[in-house]
Amino acid sequence: LRAASSVLKAMLSAEGMREATQRTIEVACPALAVQLLLSMMYTGAAPVGDDEEPSVGNILAALDLAHRWQLLHIVHLLAAAAAQRVDAETFEAAADAALRLDLPLLP
C-alpha cells in the first residue's frame, strides 16, 4: 500500500499517526468498495470470480477513496467504469462525485 500512494505511505509510516501505530486503516465505506479498490491497486482490474459487475455505488465509493489517497491511475480507471454504468437511478450520485472530485469523465 505504501508503494502505491504517498498518502498511504505517510499514514502507515509517520510517527504519531494512528494508522502507523495500530497498523490498520479505518475506512467508512462498503467492504465491497474497499475490495474493489484493493483489487484495482494490486491487479489493475475488478475482482475476478464474481458473477456480477460492481455496482455504481461501490465504484463511486472506491473512487472517493482512490481520490482521497491520491491513487490517480485508479481514479481514472474507476471514473471510466462509473461513466459506463451510470443510469437514471445513479446519475445524481455520479454527478455529485464528478463535481466534488473535479472529474470531467463522469456525466
Side-chain angles (χ1 to χ4, degrees):
L1 294 176
R2 286 184 253 198
S5 162
S6 59
V7 174
L8 291 173
K9 181 178 181 179
M11 289 170 66
L12 294 169
S13 302
E15 285 188 39
M17 294 289 284
R18 180 180 59 213
E19 294 85 1
T21 305
Q22 296 176 355
R23 309 299 284 173
T24 59
I25 300 173
E26 292 184 30
V27 293
C29 70
L32 289 174
V34 175
Q35 181 183 9
L36 174 61
L37 178 64
L38 290 173
S39 180
M40 298 291 290
M41 287 173 66
Y42 286 107
T43 68
V48 179
D50 292 340
D51 290 334
E52 79 182 54
E53 296 282 320
S55 70
V56 173
N58 284 327
I59 292 171
L60 294 176
L63 177 62
D64 190 52
L65 275 179
H67 188 270
R68 186 178 319 149
W69 292 341
Q70 297 180 1
L71 298 161
L72 300 181
H73 62 292
I74 305 295
V75 168
H76 294 294
L77 292 172
L78 290 169
Q84 292 176 348
R85 291 172 178 82
V86 170
D87 58 19
E89 290 181 26
T90 58
F91 177 79
E92 185 176 350
D96 177 65
L99 289 172
R100 275 186 302 103
L101 305 178
D102 194 25
L103 296 172
L105 295 177
L106 292 175

